[in-house]
């Protein structure tokens, strides 16, 4: 079965760029799925960040759109998140997830999450 | 602010039935999916589409929808169902995902 694993620095300085990668195993990133990023600040709810299709098509949360870039690397079977100009408000657990988008929309496979702290 | 609205907290007596709701205009066009999240764990999909359960999800979990409201019902709540529950759907444009604010379920 498909598994997802997030990786990246756990600490990012304010005004810097947060960079995370999600490795896909047990399946192909070129399947008919969208690949998503979701985050959860400490003690708060889930926030959808954005998604990418293997063709490179992307959708981003309007509130983050100016700072977010999601990309896909089919050769490595992984996708990535970059969030620029970070502040303490970007401190969160970041999850990657596989999404079905179409007749039904849902995220059926999730990574375990990785904690990113923004601090000097 | 979220385009999907959930009650922050709901409680249910052990073995009783509880309904968790999610409201939003986009739910007139898109089904909601529902996720269970326990402390320190990633969310788990429990309901998607009209009323579909992924493999391994107990049949006491069910979903329904009417107008701008989606509901997750747990029939015969168990102690292990105590968790946060989030609804998720597309926004009004259909281009983006959106989560409700979450409902903390307490099983008494």
């Amino acid at each position: 079965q498909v598994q997802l694993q997030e990786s990246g620095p756990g600490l990012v300085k304010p005004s810097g760029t947060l960079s995370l990668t999600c490795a896909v195993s047990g399946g192909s990133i070129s399947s008919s799925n969208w690949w998503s990023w979701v985050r959860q600040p400490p003690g708060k709810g889930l926030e959808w960040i954005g998604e990418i299709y293997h063709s490179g098509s992307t959708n981003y949360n309007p509130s983050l759109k100016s700072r977010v870039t999601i990309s896909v690397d089919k050769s490595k079977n992984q996708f990535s998140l970059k969030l620029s100009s970070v502040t303490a408000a970007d401190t969160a657990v970041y999850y990657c997830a596989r999404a079905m988008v179409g007749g039904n929309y849902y995220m059926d496979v999730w990574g375990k999450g990785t904690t990113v702290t923004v601090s000097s | 602010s979220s385009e999907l609205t959930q009650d922050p907290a709901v409680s249910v007596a052990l073995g009783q039935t509880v309904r968790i709701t999610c409201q939003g205009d986009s739910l007139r066009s898109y089904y909601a999916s529902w996720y269970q999240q326990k402390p320190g764990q990633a969310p788990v999909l429990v309901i998607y589409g009209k009323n579909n359960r992924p493999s391994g999800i107990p049949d006491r979990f069910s979903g329904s929808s009417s107008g701008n409201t989606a509901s997750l019902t747990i029939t015969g709540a168990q102690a292990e169902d105590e968790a946060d529950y989030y609804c998720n759907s597309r926004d009004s444009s259909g281009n983006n995902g959106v989560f409700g604010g979450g409902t903390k379920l307490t099983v008494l």
Side-chain angles (χ1 to χ4, degrees):
Chain A
Q1 71 280 22
V2 173
Q3 293 185 310
L4 305 179
Q5 178 66 60
E6 306 91 348
S7 62
L11 180 64
V12 181
K13 294 186 186 304
S15 77
T17 297
L18 178 159
S19 296
L20 297 175
T21 295
C22 181
V24 180
S25 60
S28 173
I29 202 165
S30 295
S31 60
S32 299
N33 300 108
W34 287 71
W35 304 94
S36 307
W37 288 99
V38 175
R39 71 180 182 178
Q40 185 170 37
K44 297 187 178 181
L46 301 173
E47 180 179 31
W48 183 83
I49 298 172
E51 62 194 5
I52 190 166
Y53 196 65
H54 61 77
S55 63
S57 295
T58 53
N59 293 308
Y60 297 135
N61 185 322
S63 68
L64 300 171
K65 189 172 185 176
S66 64
R67 300 194 292 129
V68 172
T69 301
I70 298 175
S71 59
V72 64
D73 187 336
K74 289 186 280 188
S75 68
K76 294 183 178 180
N77 218 36
Q78 64 185 34
F79 61 108
S80 299
L81 168 70
K82 290 188 185 298
L83 182 65
S84 63
S85 304
V86 297
T87 68
D90 296 309
T91 293
V93 176
Y94 286 76
Y95 297 98
C96 59
R98 182 179 76 172
M100 299 296 293
V101 181
N104 289 323
Y105 168 61
Y106 56 93
M107 294 179 232
D108 64 338
V109 180
W110 292 68
K112 293 182 178 180
T114 188
T115 299
V116 178
T117 302
V118 178
S119 175
S120 56
Chain B
S1 64
S2 175
E3 295 185 29
L4 299 178
T5 302
Q6 298 182 240
D7 290 330
V10 171
S11 62
V12 61
L14 184 67
Q16 296 304 300
T17 296
V18 62
R19 176 176 293 180
I20 298 170
T21 61
C22 174
Q23 290 188 304
D25 286 341
S26 65
L27 297 180
R28 298 183 185 278
S29 304
Y30 303 99
Y31 286 116
S33 52
W34 290 92
Y35 304 83
Q36 176 192 71
Q37 187 182 36
K38 296 182 179 180
Q41 298 183 18
V44 173
L45 177 69
V46 294
I47 290 289
Y48 66 96
K50 189 173 183 180
N51 181 19
N52 300 297
R53 282 178 289 106
S55 174
I57 301 301
D59 61 5
R60 63 178 179 271
F61 289 88
S62 63
S64 62
S65 183
S66 178
N68 73 335
T69 302
S71 300
L72 172 70
T73 300
I74 307 174
T75 303
Q78 302 300 303
E80 60 264 33
D81 299 333
E82 188 163 287
D84 294 326
Y85 290 86
Y86 294 90
C87 60
N88 170 237
S89 187
R90 304 302 276 184
D91 68 2
S92 298
S93 74
N95 293 327
N96 306 302
V98 61
F99 284 96
T103 297
K104 182 176 183 60
L105 176 66
T106 300
V107 179
L108 303 172

